[in-house]
Amino acid sequence: MQASVVELGGSEAGAAVWPRLAAAVGEWLQAQGLAARDAIVLLPFAQHIGPARRAFAQQPGWAPQLTTSRSLASSLGPSLLAAPGQISLDAAMDAFTADALLAGQSWAQTLREHSDAAYLAARAQMVETAHLLARGAAQRPPAQRAAWFEQVRQRLQAGSGPGELERALGLVALAWVMADDRPAPTDTLFGLRPSAWIVLEAGGPDPLAEALMTGDVPALRLVADFDLAPGLSPATSLDLALCDDFETLAEATATAVLQHLNAGRAPVALLAQDRVVVRRVRALLGRQGVPVLDETGWTLATTPAAAALMALLRANLGQAAMDDWLAWLKSPLTAGWEPAPLASLEALCRRKGWRQPERLDPLDLPVWHRARDLTAPLRGGPRKLGAWLADLGRVLRALAPLTAVEGGMPLLEALWVSRNPWEGSAHEALIGATRLSPAEFLAWVDATLEAAQFSAEPEQQAAVVITPMARAVLRPFGALVLPGADAATLAAPVPRLGVLSDADAQQLGLPHAAAERAAQAKAFAQLLRSPALTLLRCRFAGAEPLPASPLLDQLQAALGHPPPAWQDARARQPVQRAAPGTRRAAAPARLPATLSATGIDALRNCPYQFFAGQVLGLRPADEIDTEADKRDYGTWLHAVLHRFHEQRRDLPGQDDAESLRAAADAELQGLDEADFLPYRASFERLMPRYLAWLAEMEAAGQRYEAGELAQRQQPFDGPLADLVLQGRIDRIDTTPQGRLLLDYKTGRAADLSAKVKTPLEDTQLAVYALLAPGEGALQAAYLALDEPEALKLVTHVEVAETASTLRDALQQELSEILAGAALPALGEGRLCELCDMRGLCRKDDTA
């Protein structure tokens, strides 16, 4: 039966559409002689039911049933649960069923053997295709589905269609859908016989409603859509804001919302076209105490509960780094634990640069062993999904309640930790039979959380509603605000089609690019029915120009002029920039308790750096690096040479090359050998050069005496008598000329030679000399280890005299600081570029 069509007007105000709709429905039903109380009006969204009811309440007689196609189908009875092997529309679970279906396909197993990643991608495409076809079939009358399935088969088998792999995946997906003998959730709709089907089109057609109107029941299509055509006279108060960057866009959006609220246009709809901007805007509105209702929700994987759970699983499944453990130990899962031991544990790992959690196992750290013991059930080999979930539940019960964290309860439900599947369902069968490795279980949890949606509890009497553009159509908002009206953001979404091409989808009546563009254009045009509409867009994406959305261009062409410019009502407060000048500080009667060569270098390089780092004790947190760097190599090399010489002195007569290599192997314990491989190769090249140098020095009478010697001295007097000078001497040798202080260096010998060329500029060896134990003649030198031909000794001439001069200069400078002398920021060049305190002295802002 051909449906009647009634146009509900052009771009008139949305509030006028509902009375016209109610009047048009009443007139048509009366003209057709149909009972209004038995007619069904299908609306695009449930939010339209309220304004529709108010409009029909103003009409005499019975009102028809007002609902949506989804709500109506749900009210007519529950859908049957998927049995084992059937499609559940849960992508993470259906992937396991897809595995079973593909197990009998030789081509799929060949693909799996060749590349596991390619197989997983193909499996995901197959599941996506099956879901698309299942939803497409449900939108067609039951009598027409067999013919439609045959049409799908022909498209998949056509030589001009997808590739061979895609065709095979599509055919398996089609067979999977066709084998499901459950009635579709929409079958109850096709079995209904109301007096009339009445469908409102606003924001594009609904395929299911279109199918319902093709039967033998009288039907009426109410079209509220219109095009952006020349001569358009919108009912809205329209303005457009142009912004140069993301933060300006967010601030202008929040300001526009507040301006509408202050003008009495409430509630305001904030259209979630650009979710990143909207999150920032919501934070800005929260600072102003504006109550917000978010109708869009967000992926469950982005909630704090999911972040805490994923950190826990990453730490315990597979080869976890120390960062993974610290992430979950600092998460809400350890709420209630003493914070001091956790802070000490993190500080230890950062100070030592430990990346492997196993380095902590031998230590007496109660908080670490508590964490390891509580999570022990998650460690181990493959097991069935049900066992994984039972072990996960056991661990979570031993930790702080996840239900107290935002998103915790829906997370536990989505992962089947707090509930059990129905007996005989596909979920029960898959949970009980699917065997997963730790990596596969982690991937399943991640996929499940990514697919699930979470919506926070609505705030009471929300003044701002965050909603998608399509769902804002014909709703009684006081104003609409749309950030992101640019070509990158206000663009039609690309439909997910699995293995089908866009041409296939269009031919089969499935979502396709052209339909998505048309629906978005209609929804955008509907925004012009609102009382007020503010559009905002960025003109740049970074440094690249960002054009306007084609829809904005169409709107401008339809209006015949650009939209009026948005007026920012914020009060502007001029601020006169004042040059801060050179930053300086003073520390009267305050000095560090200990001083090292590093601190002395800081004082000589930049007094303000000394003040911030040594007096105040400020320093950046040590990073737990993911890869070894040259500093790690230097630390390791110092330890190797110390171990080698200590063992060589205590156990003489061993083969030096074997002993040095054994020392290297011993110090490599706890490090990532693959990560350290380039530096180990460098060490192998160093070994023969070092042993040759050692033999030459020993032939001249030089002998190793001690290494890695931690020393503390009090070389000052008067008010500085309690100040301790401390340091660690790499190595002390005895020679016929007296004691020799050696400092190992992996830098270039030329740089070291330039450093000692002016002895008073070399702080490190002078400090070694002040710290050296014993009396008598003293020498000092750097040993350059990375020279390509042979190791080179770079001697600091007359180091004892330099040390005495350094001590006297420090006595005077530190006394002046103690008396209140200024500590200005005098650093220059590279010293400033590498300074951790640069943000404090604000030298970059100095005029």
Side-chain angles (χ1 to χ4, degrees):
M1 182 178 295
Q2 185 69 32
S4 303
V5 178
V6 172
E7 299 285 345
L8 294 180
S11 57
E12 61 187 354
V17 171
W18 295 108
R20 291 197 58 192
L21 178 146
V25 169
E27 293 172 3
W28 181 79
L29 290 173
Q30 185 177 8
Q32 299 293 322
L34 302 173
R37 63 182 180 183
D38 296 328
I40 298 177
V41 178
L42 296 180
L43 302 169
F45 296 104
Q47 290 83 357
H48 293 141
I49 295 177
R53 282 178 177 166
R54 289 190 289 273
F56 276 100
Q58 303 301 317
Q59 301 292 320
W62 288 94
Q65 181 178 353
L66 303 171
T67 184
T68 67
S69 55
R70 178 179 296 181
S71 299
L72 182 59
S74 299
S75 68
L76 296 174
S79 303
L80 294 178
L81 292 174
Q86 293 178 336
I87 295 175
S88 67
L89 295 181
D90 179 338
M93 283 295 189
D94 284 341
F96 300 142
T97 305
D99 270 332
L101 295 174
L102 293 175
Q105 306 293 329
S106 58
W107 52 268
Q109 297 313 303
T110 301
L111 176 65
R112 189 171 201 169
E113 294 169 3
H114 176 71
S115 171
D116 193 56
Y119 170 80
L120 293 177
R123 185 187 68 180
Q125 277 191 304
M126 174 182 154
V127 172
E128 187 176 278
T129 304
H131 288 185
L132 178 69
L133 296 178
R135 294 189 179 99
Q139 292 176 345
R140 284 158 176 79
Q144 299 178 13
R145 287 176 193 155
W148 185 74
F149 284 142
E150 182 59 30
Q151 187 182 2
V152 174
R153 186 193 308 277
Q154 292 175 5
R155 293 292 301 184
L156 288 170
Q157 291 176 336
S160 60
E164 182 178 351
L165 175 61
E166 286 75 14
R167 286 198 298 273
L169 290 168
L171 290 171
V172 175
L174 176 61
W176 187 11
V177 175
M178 294 176 65
D180 192 339
D181 58 358
R182 291 174 297 162
T186 57
D187 282 3
T188 53
L189 298 181
F190 290 103
L192 279 182
R193 287 297 178 266
S195 63
W197 287 112
I198 303 169
V199 176
L200 172 63
E201 282 188 14
D206 176 2
L208 177 57
E210 292 281 314
L212 291 172
M213 289 191 294
T214 60
D216 55 0
V217 176
L220 172 65
R221 177 186 287 109
L222 300 165
V223 181
D225 287 322
F226 60 94
D227 297 324
L228 297 175
L232 180 70
S233 298
T236 187
S237 172
L238 175 67
D239 49 15
L240 171 65
L242 300 178
C243 306
D244 289 335
D245 54 47
F246 171 87
E247 187 60 26
T248 304
L249 176 65
E251 291 178 359
T253 302
T255 302
V257 170
L258 293 174
Q259 287 179 194
H260 286 307
L261 292 176
N262 292 336
R265 293 186 285 267
V268 175
L270 177 58
L271 305 184
Q273 193 67 24
D274 187 333
R275 291 293 295 170
V276 178
V277 171
V278 167
R279 279 198 295 269
R280 176 63 177 149
V281 174
R282 181 170 186 174
L284 294 174
L285 294 175
R287 296 177 185 176
Q288 303 298 319
V290 178
V292 177
L293 168 63
D294 191 343
E295 293 183 348
T296 63
W298 54 89
T299 302
L300 188 56
T302 63
T303 61
L309 177 68
M310 291 302 293
L312 171 70
L313 294 179
R314 291 190 186 99
N316 288 278
L317 305 179
Q319 302 296 319
M322 195 66 230
D323 273 331
D324 297 313
W325 278 88
L326 291 176
W328 89 259
L329 285 172
K330 295 189 293 183
S331 76
L333 290 171
T334 58
W337 292 24
E338 287 293 330
L342 289 175
S344 299
L345 173 67
E346 180 177 6
L348 173 66
C349 295
R350 295 192 181 282
R351 185 171 66 253
K352 297 288 189 180
W354 287 343
R355 297 185 294 274
Q356 289 74 33
E358 294 75 16
R359 297 292 294 268
L360 296 172
D361 288 343
L363 304 182
D364 183 18
L365 296 170
V367 67
W368 173 252
H369 294 293
R370 178 188 181 186
R372 296 283 276 184
D373 292 343
L374 288 177
T375 58
L378 290 175
R379 295 190 290 276
R383 64 201 83 166
K384 291 182 178 179
L385 178 55
W388 277 116
L389 296 178
D391 291 337
L392 177 58
R394 189 178 306 116
V395 171
L396 291 177
R397 285 191 294 273
L399 298 171
L402 200 59
T403 52
V405 185
E406 186 177 35
M409 182 58 74
L411 179 147
L412 296 175
E413 293 179 355
L415 294 178
W416 301 95
V417 174
S418 63
R419 59 174 180 150
N420 295 317
W422 288 96
E423 183 177 355
S425 67
H427 284 81
E428 182 193 51
L430 292 170
I431 290 173
T434 305
R435 187 173 180 83
L436 301 177
S437 68
E440 290 171 333
F441 176 65
L442 181 62
W444 175 79
V445 172
D446 186 49
T448 301
L449 297 181
E450 284 289 346
Q453 289 295 114
F454 170 74
S455 295
E457 290 295 326
E459 300 182 38
Q460 296 297 322
Q461 297 179 342
V464 177
V465 179
I466 300 175
T467 190
M469 183 170 69
R471 206 178 296 177
V473 171
L474 294 180
R475 292 175 63 183
F477 291 118
L480 305 179
V481 177
L482 171 60
D486 54 73
T489 306
L490 190 55
V494 178
R496 300 173 62 90
L497 302 176
V499 301
L500 297 176
S501 68
D502 191 71
D504 290 332
Q506 187 168 4
Q507 185 68 28
L508 296 171
L510 296 171
H512 56 278
E516 295 292 336
R517 286 194 299 270
Q520 187 180 62
K522 293 181 184 301
F524 180 76
Q526 289 285 345
L527 303 183
L528 300 176
R529 294 185 184 274
S530 65
L533 171 62
T534 299
L535 304 172
L536 305 99
R537 75 172 182 91
C538 262
R539 295 188 296 179
F540 299 94
E544 296 294 325
L546 186 60
S549 167
L551 293 176
L552 196 56
D553 291 337
Q554 291 179 36
L555 174 60
Q556 180 172 329
L559 295 173
H561 57 80
W566 173 70
Q567 299 300 315
D568 190 346
R570 287 177 290 181
R572 298 189 178 275
Q573 180 66 40
V575 177
Q576 185 176 2
R577 182 182 179 186
T582 301
R583 192 73 167 173
R584 60 181 59 239
R590 184 174 182 181
L591 283 177
T594 60
L595 199 60
S596 66
T598 302
I600 295 171
D601 270 333
L603 177 60
R604 303 179 76 181
N605 292 334
C606 174
Y608 189 85
Q609 184 188 82
F610 173 82
F611 167 75
Q614 303 298 316
V615 178
L616 298 183
L618 303 178
R619 55 184 49 85
D622 296 320
E623 292 291 337
I624 301 179
D625 298 325
T626 56
E627 295 182 359
D629 56 19
K630 195 166 185 179
R631 181 180 178 182
D632 297 320
Y633 171 59
T635 302
W636 173 80
L637 187 55
H638 277 62
V640 169
L641 294 177
H642 179 243
R643 178 185 286 267
F644 165 69
H645 282 289
E646 290 290 315
Q647 293 179 348
R648 189 170 183 264
R649 182 187 60 190
D650 298 339
L651 299 172
Q654 303 293 321
D655 181 82
D656 284 342
E658 291 183 3
S659 297
L660 187 53
R661 187 170 283 110
D665 291 338
E667 291 297 332
L668 201 59
Q669 298 298 318
L671 297 174
D672 188 330
E673 294 189 26
D675 194 24
F676 218 74
L677 189 59
Y679 298 109
R680 183 60 189 262
S682 297
F683 174 76
E684 292 294 333
R685 293 192 296 271
L686 167 66
M687 276 184 52
R689 299 197 303 271
Y690 183 80
L691 295 176
W693 171 85
L694 182 62
E696 181 182 351
M697 293 300 102
E698 290 184 341
Q702 182 173 323
R703 294 293 182 271
Y704 172 85
E705 180 180 316
E708 299 299 324
L709 193 64
Q711 289 290 98
R712 294 169 63 90
Q713 299 288 348
Q714 292 175 287
F716 307 109
D717 52 35
L720 303 177
D722 293 333
L723 181 59
V724 175
L725 184 65
Q726 66 179 14
R728 183 179 295 273
I729 302 174
D730 287 356
R731 175 171 167 179
I732 301 179
D733 282 9
T734 57
T735 72
Q737 293 77 31
R739 290 169 300 154
L740 173 63
L741 309 179
L742 281 178
D743 189 50
Y744 300 126
K745 291 294 184 184
T746 56
R748 299 193 314 164
D751 295 337
L752 298 172
S753 298
K755 185 176 183 180
V756 300
K757 190 173 184 179
T758 307
L760 292 177
E761 295 299 320
D762 178 26
T763 301
Q764 188 164 353
L765 291 180
V767 171
Y768 273 12
L770 289 173
L771 293 172
E775 297 180 356
L778 193 65
Q779 310 164 74
Y782 293 110
L783 181 58
L785 300 172
D786 279 355
E787 293 301 294
E789 300 298 330
L791 273 63
K792 185 174 182 180
L793 204 65
V794 181
T795 305
H796 183 121
V797 180
E798 299 179 347
V799 69
E801 289 77 3
T802 302
S804 177
T805 303
L806 175 66
R807 182 261 170 211
D808 293 341
L810 286 173
Q811 176 78 37
Q812 179 179 350
E813 291 179 29
L814 294 174
S815 296
E816 292 174 356
I817 293 171
L818 200 61
L823 296 167
L826 300 179
E828 294 291 345
R830 185 168 174 80
L831 292 174
C832 282
E833 293 176 8
L834 302 178
C835 180
D836 292 326
M837 308 303 165
R838 187 168 183 170
L840 293 178
C841 75
R842 300 198 292 274
K843 185 169 184 177
D844 294 330
D845 299 327
T846 302

